[in-house]
Amino acid sequence: MTTSFIQIEGLSKSFTLHNQGGITLPVLNLVDLKISSGECVVVTGPSGVGKSSLLKCIYGNYLATEGSVHVGPPETALDITRAAPREIVNLRRYTLGYVTQFLRIVPRVPAIEIVMEPLRILGVDLDEARERSAKMLARLNIPERLWSLAPSTFSGGEQQRINLARGFIVEYPALLLDEPTASLDAENRQVVVGLIEEAKQNGSAILGIFHDKEVRDAVADRELLLKELGVAA
Amino acid sequence: MDEPILSVTDLKKTYGAIRGCKNISFDIWPGEVLAVVGESGSGKSTVLNCTSARLEPDAGTVRYATRCDGLKNIFDMSEPERRFLMRTDWGFVHQNPRDGLLMDMSAGANIGERLMAIGERNYSKIRDDAGEWLGRVEFDLERIDDLPTRFSGGMQQRVQIARNLVTKPRLVFMDEPTGGLDVSVQARLLDMLRTLVSDLGLAAIIVTHDLVVARLLAHRMIVMRRGEIVESGLTDQILDDPQHPYSQLLVSSILQN
C-alpha cells in the first residue's frame, strides 16, 4: 500500500460575508481525500460547486472552517489548517506548486525572470535557472523575442503559458492545477499533458481541475466528484 | 530559523488621551517581509515607530535578536547600544526621502556618511561602496556628486534606500516607501525593492495603506484598525479570504483591473 502525500480529512469551508448582512455561504462539506505520490486525482462537478475552493484550501489562501489538510511525507506532513504563515511559505517554496491560468503580473519584470524566480528562491544559480527557464519557454512555444519583455502587453494565451512555465519549472512533490489547459490550442494542450505526465513520473502527487475531457482522460488516475451544497442563510 | 529576529509583545502607546496602539504582538523571522496595513489613524505608524526604537511605548516589549546575546529588549539596552543597532543592523526608509537624507550632502556622501558612522575611514572604499549601492538601486551614477535637492522624488527615494542598505542591515523598517511617488515610478521602485529584499534575505516591516504593495512585497500581513490588530496571516490568505469585517471591507475596496 502506498502512503499518501496529500491527505484531507473532514474538510469544510464556508464564507461569512460580514458586509453583506452576515450571510454565510457554505462551499465544501466534509471532504475526505488521499493522494499518493505519482498519482493524479481530478476534481469534477458542476460550475460553482467549490472545485477551486478545494485547491485554495490546500494551498492555504483559503482558511478551512473545519477539518485538516496534511501535505508532505506522513512523518513530517504539515497541517495547512494549523500551520504558521512562514511554514506555509516554506512548503510552497519546496513542496507544493499551484498553477492557474492567470498570470499575476509584476510590473516591468521580463517573462524569463518570472519563470526563473521559483528556481532562484531555491538557490539555483543564475545561469542554470536561465537555461532551464529558456527550455521551458521554448517547450511552451513562447517565441524567443518575447523572453526579455515584460508580459503586460502579451496576449492572454501567451501570459497563460508564461504562468505555466513558471508553475512547472520546479519539480514539486505536490501540485495543484486549476484548469491549466483552459483556452490553450491543441498543440500547447499536448505540451501541458506531457508536463503533467512527467510530473507524475517524477513522483508528484497531483490534484487538478480540467474541463477538457481529452486532458482529463489522458492524465487522471481517479476522479473526485463534488456535489452541490446549496446556499444556507 | 528557529528564533525570530524581532519579537513584539503586548505593545501599547497612547498620546495623552489619544489612542496610538494596544495589544500589539507579533514575531518576524529572518528573511520574512511583514506588511502592516490599515487606514490613516489606524496606528500603523505608531507600531512602526515603537518597534524601530524611534518612540518609547507605554507598555510591552520589543525584543531583537542581537548578533551576540540573542533576543534583547531594545528599550533595556543602553542608548549607545540602541543607536549602534539603528546605524548598522537596521534600516529605516521614510515615506518622504527628505526625512531620511542629509539634504545638504551629495548622493554619494549620503551613503558614505552611514559607513563613516560605523567607523569606516578608507575613503576610496567608501566611494566604491557608495557607487556599488547606487548602482544596485538603479541610480544614474553620473549624478553621484549632486545634491538630493536636485533629484526627482523617485531618485531621492533610491538614494535613501541605498543609504539604508549599505551597512547590510538584517531588518528594514519602511513607512509607505512608494507613497509619494508617481504610479510609473512606484511600479519600478516596488519591483526593485522586491528583488533587493529577496536577494539580500532581509527581514522587513512595511507600513502601507496600499494592498497592492502588500501583495507584491509581503509574505505576511497584519491588518490594523483603531490601534489594534484585527487580523493577521499569510498575505494571499488575507487578500483572498479575509475573515474580519474590516479586512473584508478593505479587500472589497481594491480596484480590480
Side-chain angles (χ1 to χ4, degrees), chain A residues 13 15-19 60-63 85-86 88-89 92-93 104 106-109 117, chain B residues 1 29 32 138 187-188 191 194 215-216 219-220 233-234 236-237 240-241 243 245 248-249:
Chain A
K13 170 68 189 165
F15 292 97
T16 305
L17 309 179
H18 294 288
N19 300 302
N61 17 358
Y62 282 1
L63 283 181
R86 67 194 176 90
I88 297 180
V89 168
R92 289 174 175 185
R93 275 183 192 160
R104 196 182 296 290
V106 183
R108 221 173 60 101
V109 180
E117 192 183 51
Chain B
M1 268 297 272
W29 300 76
E32 196 174 48
E138 300 167 22
R188 293 183 56 170
D191 171 40
R194 203 176 68 98
R215 170 156 252 163
L216 266 177
H219 301 114
R220 251 172 70 207
L234 210 58
D236 59 8
Q237 180 257 302
D240 292 347
D241 187 16
Q243 304 294 306
Q248 290 188 354
L249 186 68

